[in-house]
Amino acid sequence: MSRTASKAPGAPAVPGSVSGDPNRWKALVFIALAQLMVVLDATIVNIALPSAQQDLGISDGNRQWVVTAYALAFGGLLLFGGRIADLWGRKRAFVVGLAGFAAASALGGAATTGAMMFGARALQGVFGALLAPAALSLLAVMFTDAKERAKAFGIYGAIAGGGGAVGFILGGVLTEYLDWRWTFFVNIPFAIVAALGAYFVIREPEGGRNRNPLDIPGVLLSTLGLVSLVYGFTRAESDGWGDSLTIGLFAAAVVLLLAFVVTEAKVKAPLLPLRVVTDRNRGGIYLSLGIAIIAMFGTFLFLTYYLQVINGYSPIKTGFAFLPMIAGMMIGSTQIGARLMTRVPARALMGPGFLVAAVGMLLMTRLEIGSSYASTILPSMLLLGLGMGTAFMPAMSLATLGVEPRDAGVASAMVNTSQQVGGAIGTALLNTIAASATTAYIKDHIGSATSKSQAQLVQMQGAVHGYTNAIWIAVGMLVLAAVVVVTLVNAGRPGSTAVAGSGEGVEDELAVPVVAH
């Protein structure tokens, strides 16, 4: 079929066609900038937290709310944000999300009390939940040619994967040389530039909105269920898995999310059409991404503690220590994933990608006090970044490929939801495992310490022992993610799919590319 063949408005893209919005590559710049801002914010504030806590007089018991308030609002409202993007239009949701995120960041930077800080972080989460799915779904509907889509999602995947590590560097620089408040204020120019660029450059394709009335029961059940789940894991990390409130939150999450599924199966215009998640390829992508993020978030946490507490790195030096992982992600996403995505099945990239990351994680289990950065941490970082970049890139694309345009927002929100829930699980689960292993090690070895310095050494050895025990679990998680991909994801090349929205999965044998609208 000719590359210049015409198509009716709203029809599937012509195979090989490169027709589309002439400003789509300019739009990608502003979409990527907004995504970088959201991902940076997840880690940049962590570096600044000790300074902010001291300035604002936040107690040790309440400091977790700087992180938790954001996580609860963001994780709980993602599906609602994705549906609003489908209803309003992704461009409008994107610009409103940016404006709100900038205002919330200004409030956080100007905070004079702990309560003001917590409120600002919650507002950042609310607008982030609108912004993140709008950004990903804009890519899904603007880039329809398979090769162009590969390049666009390669860039997006690299930012989504590596932005968090960049946050460590930027957070360290801003906190050490300026003030912790700049970790909030820095979002404002990002948001203004991205919003202005989006307003003047982005031209969203017509006919892709879902104008059905909002599914209010679905909104309430999904929001309360996800908030209960994320807060349950947060409580488990701080108060233990046997805490009565922790158990109650998990029980409430199970009941609410089951009720949500039942409701979505019955209502006429569901918040999350079950066809989005019951497709085996998309379901496999969501599940494997969530499992992989469990491993990644836990590792970020332990490696940060190891470098700063055990090896005495400054915040800036710690941030720069993560650079090889960022480089690996960029190479894996833009040079491997983007180049091969239109040539090989997605699972042939994602499965090996997760396994390469698992090998990198495996090298990290050799950590000891005084381990060489060059011989132990550097190769681990490179392999972890390379593997995750290679896997993330096709995952981001396939998660929204073949989705009906009216479902693009909620399908994109599910990507973010799987990552958010995976991050909450990873931080709580791996931190609990590490703490238990550390306690057991110190109990077994502290008796042999004959001086204060030896006791301190035993405590440090116990901490590293705890980290490596948890990292072994992270290795298993990445292997499990690879198994999920190989088992569930049966798509051929991401440019070779069943008719969009068919709900029947992606057929290997179909050779005619029909890409997402």
Side-chain angles (χ1 to χ4, degrees):
M1 189 177 291
S2 170
R3 291 174 67 86
T4 58
S6 62
K7 66 182 182 70
V14 176
S17 172
V18 291
S19 63
D21 187 343
N23 288 327
R24 58 193 179 278
W25 289 108
K26 293 179 183 177
L28 175 62
V29 173
F30 301 112
I31 293 169
L33 187 63
Q35 174 65 14
L36 179 61
M37 181 187 71
V38 172
V39 175
L40 281 176
D41 198 70
T43 53
I44 195 172
V45 175
N46 290 352
I47 297 291
L49 183 54
S51 301
Q53 180 185 355
Q54 185 175 2
D55 276 6
L56 300 179
I58 301 172
S59 68
D60 286 347
N62 286 332
R63 68 182 175 188
Q64 62 153 328
W65 284 103
V66 176
V67 176
T68 303
Y70 178 86
L72 292 181
F74 187 73
L77 293 171
L78 270 168
L79 284 177
F80 183 46
R83 176 65 180 86
I84 290 294
D86 287 335
L87 178 65
W88 286 358
R90 288 108 201 162
K91 176 179 174 178
R92 182 183 299 177
F94 185 71
V95 173
V96 170
L98 283 166
F101 201 91
S105 297
L107 183 65
T112 55
T113 64
M116 191 173 171
M117 167 69 77
F118 304 151
R121 287 292 282 163
L123 277 176
Q124 280 187 316
V126 169
F127 287 104
L130 179 63
L131 175 60
L136 183 55
S137 57
L138 275 172
L139 282 190
V141 299
M142 292 183 74
F143 288 88
T144 57
D145 175 73
K147 289 186 178 180
E148 287 195 345
R149 186 182 177 90
K151 292 177 184 177
F153 276 87
I155 295 168
Y156 185 90
I159 290 171
V166 176
F168 287 118
I169 300 173
L170 192 57
V173 170
L174 292 173
T175 302
E176 195 159 324
Y177 292 112
L178 291 173
D179 186 80
W180 66 264
R181 297 182 184 276
W182 281 97
T183 61
F184 287 89
F185 291 145
V186 74
N187 290 329
I188 298 172
F190 275 92
I192 291 173
V193 171
L196 288 174
Y199 183 80
F200 289 109
V201 171
I202 291 178
R203 296 290 180 268
E204 186 180 350
E206 295 181 5
R209 292 193 191 181
N210 185 343
R211 299 182 187 276
N212 288 317
L214 278 175
D215 167 23
I216 300 301
V219 170
L220 293 174
L221 288 170
S222 67
T223 301
L224 292 174
L226 288 170
V227 165
S228 296
L229 186 64
V230 173
Y231 189 35
F233 282 110
T234 303
R235 286 278 308 187
E237 181 188 0
S238 59
D239 296 86
W241 297 91
D243 176 68
S244 58
L245 181 55
T246 301
I247 295 171
L249 286 166
F250 283 137
V254 171
V255 171
L256 289 165
L257 292 176
L258 283 175
F260 172 67
V261 172
V262 172
T263 300
E264 298 309 274
K266 293 182 177 180
V267 297
K268 184 178 179 181
L271 173 68
L272 175 63
L274 296 184
R275 61 180 174 268
V276 172
V277 290
T278 53
D279 176 276
R280 65 179 293 168
N281 289 284
R282 278 192 290 277
I285 294 292
Y286 299 146
L287 182 58
S288 63
L289 276 181
I291 293 170
I293 290 294
I294 291 174
M296 277 199 69
F297 266 60
T299 304
F300 277 171
L301 180 70
F302 299 134
L303 208 49
T304 302
Y305 281 137
Y306 174 79
L307 292 172
Q308 289 195 36
V309 177
I310 305 300
N311 284 4
Y313 282 28
S314 68
I316 293 179
K317 190 176 180 181
T318 300
F320 277 103
F322 280 93
L323 276 178
M325 185 169 68
I326 300 172
M329 283 186 170
M330 294 293 291
I331 293 169
S333 187
T334 62
Q335 300 304 309
I336 300 175
R339 290 177 183 272
L340 296 180
M341 195 177 84
T342 56
R343 300 178 186 178
V344 300
R347 63 182 174 189
L349 288 172
M350 292 183 64
F354 286 137
L355 290 178
V356 168
V359 172
M361 201 77 80
L362 187 64
L363 294 178
M364 221 174 282
T365 60
R366 302 182 302 159
L367 284 179
E368 296 176 352
I369 294 176
S371 288
S372 166
Y373 178 85
S375 63
T376 303
I377 300 173
L378 177 61
S380 299
M381 290 269 203
L382 285 171
L383 287 172
L384 185 60
L386 192 67
M388 294 303 279
T390 302
F392 269 38
M393 196 266 129
M396 291 287 185
S397 179
L398 196 61
T400 53
L401 188 65
V403 169
E404 294 182 20
R406 60 182 176 148
D407 295 334
V410 290
S412 301
M414 277 301 300
V415 176
N416 296 106
T417 301
S418 65
Q419 292 176 310
Q420 185 68 20
V421 172
I425 295 171
T427 304
L429 177 63
L430 297 186
N431 202 40
T432 303
I433 292 168
S436 299
T438 295
T439 301
Y441 182 94
I442 293 173
K443 184 178 179 181
D444 290 343
H445 294 80
I446 198 70
S448 60
T450 56
S451 66
K452 185 177 180 181
S453 60
Q454 284 185 327
Q456 289 176 335
L457 178 63
V458 168
Q459 289 178 335
M460 291 174 69
Q461 288 172 334
V464 176
H465 176 74
Y467 300 157
T468 54
N469 268 260
I471 290 170
W472 272 109
I473 302 299
V475 172
M477 290 291 179
L478 287 170
V479 173
L480 178 59
V483 171
V484 169
V485 166
V486 173
T487 305
L488 294 181
V489 179
N490 66 348
R493 296 190 306 275
S496 307
T497 74
V499 177
S502 66
E504 297 300 324
V506 184
E507 304 297 335
D508 278 307
E509 65 268 25
L510 289 182
V512 180
V514 181
V515 294
H517 311 183

